[in-house]
Each structure stands twice: as structure tokens, then as C-alpha cells.
Amino acid sequence: MTATGTGAATVSRVGTRVADLDTPAVLVELDRLEANLADTADRAKRVGVRLRPHAKTHKTAWIATEQLRHGAVGLTVAKLGEAEAFVEAGVTDILIAYPIVGEEKLARLRALAQRVRIITTLDDPVVADGLSRMARSLTTPLDVLVEVDSGLQRVGLAPGQESAALALAVSGLPGLRLRGLLTHAGHAYRARSPEEREQIAMGEAAALVQTAELLADHGIDASELSLGSTPTLASIEAVKAAYPAITEIRPGTYAFNDANLIALGVATEANCALSVLVTVVSRPAADRMVVDAGSKTLAADAGRAGGFGRVVNHPDHLIETLSEEHAVIRLPPDADWRIGDRLEVIPNHACPVPNLADTLLGVRHGQVEREIRVDARGRNR
Amino acid sequence: MTATGTGAATVSRVGTRVADLDTPAVLVELDRLEANLADTADRAKRVGVRLRPHAKTHKTAWIATEQLRHGAVGLTVAKLGEAEAFVEAGVTDILIAYPIVGEEKLARLRALAQRVRIITTLDDPVVADGLSRMARSLTTPLDVLVEVDSGLQRVGLAPGQESAALALAVSGLPGLRLRGLLTHAGHAYRARSPEEREQIAMGEAAALVQTAELLADHGIDASELSLGSTPTLASIEAVKAAYPAITEIRPGTYAFNDANLIALGVATEANCALSVLVTVVSRPAADRMVVDAGSKTLAADAGRAGGFGRVVNHPDHLIETLSEEHAVIRLPPDADWRIGDRLEVIPNHACPVPNLADTLLGVRHGQVEREIRVDARGRNR
């Protein structure tokens, strides 16, 4: 490592005051993170559902461990590479909520399933056949969930007959053990009102319960019913009261919260644990300034409330455009920012942000307490 | 490294057929890359401008070296961290087109300037003062360019009096050597017609020349006039004919090209060198399929032509939504894709894609010829 080299990035920043950090820096307010983890774990326990957080939000072994310590039963991930990273870190129960396709991936899945408990998902007989072929020689069957589309229109067949027919077929395949059904109501992020959000949450549960009942008529026990996103979590009490058969929730973003969840009415600035510390680097006009983080730090996800993130304590500042390393902020008339001033931005969408960083800085009382390595960064295969 | 570990990512893929690659994989067609580098280098030479490519597009030492071998005079980068990565790789002439603010960054800039030729940019006396204070004790003055806003409304003062006044002040500061002016007409990406694009290119050059003439009236020699983006490169012959004082161009995306440049009319699929190889993982409806790359591979940049990327050879396939690890593709009636089929996607915006990958796969004749490490990935400070 030379004097001008990557050394700057590898010197520990533990103990550094936030006021002295070089920018851009991705901060995690530890008090808020812990409150978010504890609140959701307590809530799941009270309501009577298992909590299996989606770890694609943080991609870090340390936060995963904290989630498990607070009572999560295991993790959810999207990609095999994420699962591998968390298994290396000692996690022993992982749901890969993604259709595994192709011989190379099946071999990797097999290696994981020989070490820890793995559950995976599918929505097609072709995927089921691949899994069955691979799993036949495992010493214990591979747990699978059939993915049902509760309205997102991404992966999954329609609830009811379509999904039930697939589940029925899967239940007869050697090597596999059909555990139940899974869905993700990601369309709740597009809800236009709290009522619509709650309606989507109810529909998410209904899709699973309705399909499971059809399966029960055929004598098939598909008793794990796994649903959830952070927006539908807001209605979990009502959902569980109406659909007591629901067994598991998989929120991800709740660990951090973000500007889109504020716009949806399910979070406030005060419980957003993730922010990006930035510096004003240009002030070329009275109504405009430029800060030193763009889409390569904040991600380019469009915001529900307009703009590309939320300036902490300044909801009237509009992040109007993002380039890769610049954010242009449109200012109200009285704004008095100067070059070198620092501010915090809450990203529109928290989940892509850790994937752009090597390390998150865990801060408490204005000081870095912990560097959090993003173990599964870039693990997209 | 365990059997299930990161090993998969570190095993060399050189020699593997593209047809056998696990996905998602970021591919660079080496024949196309080399043609793009050669064509632009030849063009710059013919027109009589120096070529200083923006390396934020690829962030790789290998492609930078190829650009220099084809006749580029040096590199452009946006961040100090990028400059450090390229200096480590042996590059000796780097323009950091970004205002450097803060003591930690000034110290890093100083270390770089002691090793190689560094040029930097500014649009404010506060930034100039910081640079001057740092540079006073260097053995050779630090080269600086004043950034002029030619219409992007990001960094830079207005052309003419405003920018000239700043340049005049900078020219008197110890430690600094004012070399000239710089601008970036990034708003050319928003042009609605080839005519508007050419008009923006002309305006970009005019902004610099007009300001330089004012400075000449004050006896200030600001003779380096650096402009450019990939869309305005399309008009470089006309620009240089009208404004012969222009000395340098800094296109970045030309190395790869992308779907936005196709929509702008300055590239075709046949000269897009970067693509993402993906696999169909779900086919839940006749008019919809899901492939295994989302915003964490393709980036979420909105497309000029709609959608989130362009399916190679299938311009009628619409990438309608991106999640983090899924792309939902809306299909025409006759589309016959099956689970396990593979396709290539040209990203809307090439530049954020290498920053999401650790390695690009250089392919030729359907086979991996070279793994290209993304040396400056994540170097955003």
C-alpha cells in the first residue's frame, strides 16, 4: 500500500467524530438501527409470526447477527452469492427467495444445503425439476416454497388454482419437501394512500391463505405461509387477525427505513438509520448547490416524493438531478450553505446504497463506533 | 476460501465460452471496444484536439492503458480515489475534474501531485484558496482549470464576465498555474434532436472561447480549452472548425456506448461494447418474463427510450420494471423465451455498471479472453 493508495480507505475510522469524516460517507445511526430491529422483532413476536429479515438491504454479517440476536429465525436473501457470504459468516438458516436456474448455480446450492438449512423458491416446473434432480442425493430433502404473485407482477403464478396446481406437482418430486407458499407485495411501494397500502397487505395474505386452502383440500400440507415487505409490515396486526394461518414475515428495509418509506407514511426522519454524509463543493447560484455524492453513492432510484433523496432537516431542499458523483440541490431563497458545509441525505431507497459501499460507518453520539463491512456487496450471482 | 465461498468469483473464467458463463455477467466485446477507442483517437488526431478520456466510465486500469496506447494524452477522473487507483496502475497525467474541498482531500491531492502530473478544476475562490494553500510548497505549481457552466447547470459559473473574473483572481494565487478553462455539456444527453445536440456542442465550445477571449484582453493566457462528452463528440469536426482554439476533448462513454446513446442517434447496437448477460428465471405469463439482473447490476438510470435497458436484437422487448435483482420484461405476442434461455442487455447508461461489478469479462468470438478488474470500483471519495 503506497502513501497515495487505498490506504486512506483501510485506515480505521473508529473513534473519528462525524464532524471530521471525509465525505461521502455512508452512516448508520446505531441507536436507530437497534430500535428498528428491536421494535420489529417485538412486534412479530407479539403478533405471532416468525421474522425472517431480507438481508439484501444491508448485505452485512454484523447487522444480520444483530437481527438474529433480536429474535429473527433466519435470513432471507435474493442471490446465492449473498447466501454464501452469510453462511461464511456463520448464519445457519437461509431462505433464498429466488428461482435457482442452471447447473453451476445448482452445484453451489447443493454445497450450501450440505452445510446449513437452505430453503428456496420456485414458480415453474422447470425450476422444480432442476432442484429435484440436484437434491435427490442430499441426505435431507431440500425445503421449497412455491412463489405466488399477490399483485406485484414479477415472479409467481396467480393465487388459487394456478399456484395450487404447481404446488401439487412439486409435492410429488423426489428430493424436495414442499413447506408452503411465499409472496412479496412489492407493489405496496406504489400505494397512493394508507388505505390502499393496507388493502395490498390484506391481499398479500389472502393470496397465500386462499392457495393453501385449495392445497389442504388435496391433502397437501403447505403450512409455511411467508409474506412481507416493509410497507405491508405496517398492517401486520390486522393481517394476522384476518389471516391467522400466516406464519412468517420478511421485511428488509425496516432495518434502515428510507425517503420512500417516509413518503409512504410508514417511517419518519427520526427512524431512518441510514444516511449519506456529503459536503457542499459548489455554490454557483443563489438557488443551487452541488454536493459530493451522486448515483454512485446514493443510487439513482426515483423518489416517490420527487427528487433523489431527502436532505435531513431540510425537506424543502430538492435534490433535483444526480450525476454519478454530483447531486444538484435546488434551494429555497433563504438557504445559506457554503462550500465545505456538510449535510446528510436519506436515500430514496436504502437497499442499493450499502451495495455501493465497502464499509458503512456505525455512529453513535456523533462518533464512529464501528466499521461495518458490507460482506455481500456485489454478490449478485 | 471454502467450497461454497467467494471461490466461484475468483476462479478464472478466461477461456470459458460465453454460452457457458454463469449469469449475470458484465461482458465487454473486445473487438468493439478497440474499434471505439481507435476511432475516437483517430478522430481527435485528425481534428487536432487532444483526447483525455473520462475514466469514470470503465474504472479499469486495463482500458485506461489501452486508451493511452491509442493516443490519449492522459485521463480524466471525477474523484481523488479514482486518480489514486490509476496512479497506482502507472498512469502519470490525470485531470481530476472535480472541486477538491477539505483538508483530508487536499493532503491526498498533494501526495498525488508529488508523484505525477495532476490538473484539477474549480469554480469558486474558496476552493482556489484551499488549493493554493496546499500547493504553495510543491516544487512545481499545481495546474488548474476554471470550470465554466455551458448550460448543464451543475458546477461552474456563467461563461463570460463571471468565469473570467474568477480565472483572473485564480491567476494571481501562489502555488497555482492557471492553464485554462473546462466545461461539460452533459445536457446534450437531454437533446431532443440531432440539431439540438449539435447546437449544444457549439454552445459548449463558445462558452470557453468567449471566456478565454475576455481573459486574453486582460493579458491572461488561458489556452487549454477542454470540453466534451460523448454526445457532443458527434459534432467535433464542426465545433473545431468554428472554434479552432479548443484544445482538448474528454468523452467517457464512447469506450462502451449504451442504450441512451443509441436513443440519441450517436451509437448503434453494433458499436455497444458493454452488455450484461442474463438468464430467464421466470415466465409467469405469456407477455412477461423475468431475468436475473436488476438495478444492482444494470443500475436504475432511466432510459431516454423508456425502459431500463435494451435487449440485444429485440428492440420490441420492454424492460418495464427493475427490482434489485430482477428485471421484468414485457414481451411481444410471438416471443418464445423459456426458463434457462440467455440474452444480453445493453444498459441505459454504461458508466454506473462497471462500478457495480468487481470484474468485467473481455470477450471475443464468443469466448472470454480477459478478465478486466474494475480497479477504481467504489472509489467515490
Side-chain angles (χ1 to χ4, degrees), chain B residues 98-339:
Chain B
Y98 208 84
I100 306 292
V101 173
E103 295 311 311
E104 189 168 331
K105 286 201 173 69
L106 287 168
R108 288 164 60 203
L109 181 65
R110 183 188 169 77
L112 284 182
Q114 283 171 331
R115 289 180 66 183
V116 300
R117 189 202 180 197
I118 295 287
I119 319 162
T120 184
T121 63
L122 59 94
D123 73 349
D124 196 285
V126 171
V127 179
D129 285 346
L131 293 172
S132 169
R133 192 162 23 80
M134 176 281 282
R136 242 169 273 183
S137 59
L138 287 173
T139 51
T140 52
L142 181 71
D143 286 340
V144 296
L145 302 172
V146 166
E147 181 152 0
V148 177
D149 179 11
S150 54
L152 176 58
Q153 296 220 299
R154 193 174 68 181
V155 170
L157 300 179
Q161 288 298 350
E162 257 194 52
S163 287
L166 174 63
L168 210 57
V170 168
S171 72
L173 290 176
L176 304 185
R177 180 166 55 182
L178 175 71
R179 297 304 300 264
L181 307 171
L182 169 143
T183 191
H184 167 58
H187 52 305
Y189 280 96
R190 302 193 291 260
R192 297 275 145 215
S193 66
E195 294 70 32
E196 192 187 345
R197 174 167 42 75
E198 180 153 333
Q199 210 171 26
I200 290 170
M202 286 293 188
E204 186 182 24
L208 295 190
V209 169
Q210 173 191 354
T211 310
E213 284 170 356
L214 286 181
L215 286 167
D217 293 345
H218 286 87
I220 301 292
D221 175 30
S223 55
E224 291 238 28
L225 301 182
S226 176
L227 54 75
S229 65
T230 298
T232 59
L233 171 65
S235 309
I236 187 61
E237 290 81 2
V239 164
K240 181 70 177 171
Y243 299 100
I246 295 302
T247 59
E248 184 176 275
I249 58 171
R250 306 182 321 280
T253 321
Y254 82 98
F256 295 143
N257 294 313
D258 59 24
N260 280 340
L261 290 168
I262 295 175
L264 260 174
V266 303
T268 64
E269 272 192 13
N271 48 35
C272 284
L274 186 88
S275 68
V276 178
L277 184 71
V278 300
T279 299
V280 178
V281 294
S282 177
R283 186 73 206 270
D287 67 342
R288 168 165 47 102
M289 69 179 178
V290 182
V291 299
D292 63 350
S295 64
K296 281 177 176 167
T297 303
L298 288 162
D301 296 48
R304 276 184 62 97
F308 290 95
R310 182 180 168 109
V311 180
V312 171
N313 293 328
H314 297 281
D316 59 348
H317 288 33
L318 175 67
I319 303 181
E320 199 170 52
T321 56
L322 278 192
S323 318
E324 287 154 64
E325 305 288 11
H326 304 78
V328 177
I329 304 183
R330 188 64 56 182
L331 298 171
D334 56 336
D336 186 32
W337 297 99
R338 295 171 196 204
I339 286 175

Side-chain angles (χ1 to χ4, degrees), chain A residues 261-279:
Chain A
L261 290 168
I262 295 175
L264 261 174
V266 301
T268 65
E269 273 192 13
N271 48 33
C272 284
L274 186 88
S275 68
V276 178
L277 183 71
V278 300
T279 298

Side-chain angles (χ1 to χ4, degrees), chain B residues 63-86:
Chain B
I63 297 178
T65 308
E66 287 295 288
Q67 288 174 316
L68 295 166
R69 189 172 68 79
H70 279 90
V73 298
L75 297 185
T76 307
V77 299
K79 290 291 182 116
L80 265 169
E82 293 176 333
E84 288 165 348
F86 288 114

Side-chain angles (χ1 to χ4, degrees), chain A residues 324-338:
Chain A
E324 287 154 64
E325 304 288 10
H326 304 78
V328 177
I329 304 183
R330 189 64 54 182
L331 298 170
D334 57 337
D336 187 31
W337 296 99
R338 292 167 199 208

Side-chain angles (χ1 to χ4, degrees), chain A residues 4-6 22-24 56 79 84 88 98 105 115 123 154 282 288 292 323-325 379 381, chain B residues 4-6 22-24 56 79 88 98 105 115 123 154 282 288 292 297 323-325 379 381:
Chain A
T4 59
T6 46
D22 194 22
T23 65
K56 53 111 187 182
K79 290 290 181 117
E84 287 164 347
E88 284 166 38
Y98 208 85
K105 287 200 174 70
R115 288 178 67 182
D123 73 349
R154 193 174 68 182
S282 177
R288 169 166 46 104
D292 62 350
S323 319
E324 287 154 64
E325 304 288 10
R379 295 287 198 101
R381 259 194 300 275
Chain B
T4 60
T6 46
D22 194 23
T23 65
K56 54 115 188 182
K79 290 291 182 116
E88 283 165 39
Y98 208 84
K105 286 201 173 69
R115 289 180 66 183
D123 73 349
R154 193 174 68 181
S282 177
R288 168 165 47 102
D292 63 350
T297 303
S323 318
E324 287 154 64
E325 305 288 11
R379 296 287 198 102
R381 260 193 298 274

Side-chain angles (χ1 to χ4, degrees), chain A residues 285-348:
Chain A
D287 66 343
R288 169 166 46 104
M289 70 179 178
V290 182
V291 299
D292 62 350
S295 64
K296 282 178 176 166
T297 304
L298 288 163
D301 296 51
R304 275 185 63 96
F308 291 95
R310 183 180 167 107
V311 180
V312 171
N313 293 327
H314 297 280
D316 59 347
H317 288 34
L318 175 68
I319 303 181
E320 201 170 53
T321 56
L322 279 192
S323 319
E324 287 154 64
E325 304 288 10
H326 304 78
V328 177
I329 304 183
R330 189 64 54 182
L331 298 170
D334 57 337
D336 187 31
W337 296 99
R338 292 167 199 208
I339 286 173
D341 285 350
R342 295 136 70 82
L343 47 150
E344 286 180 43
V345 176
I346 297 172
N348 281 340

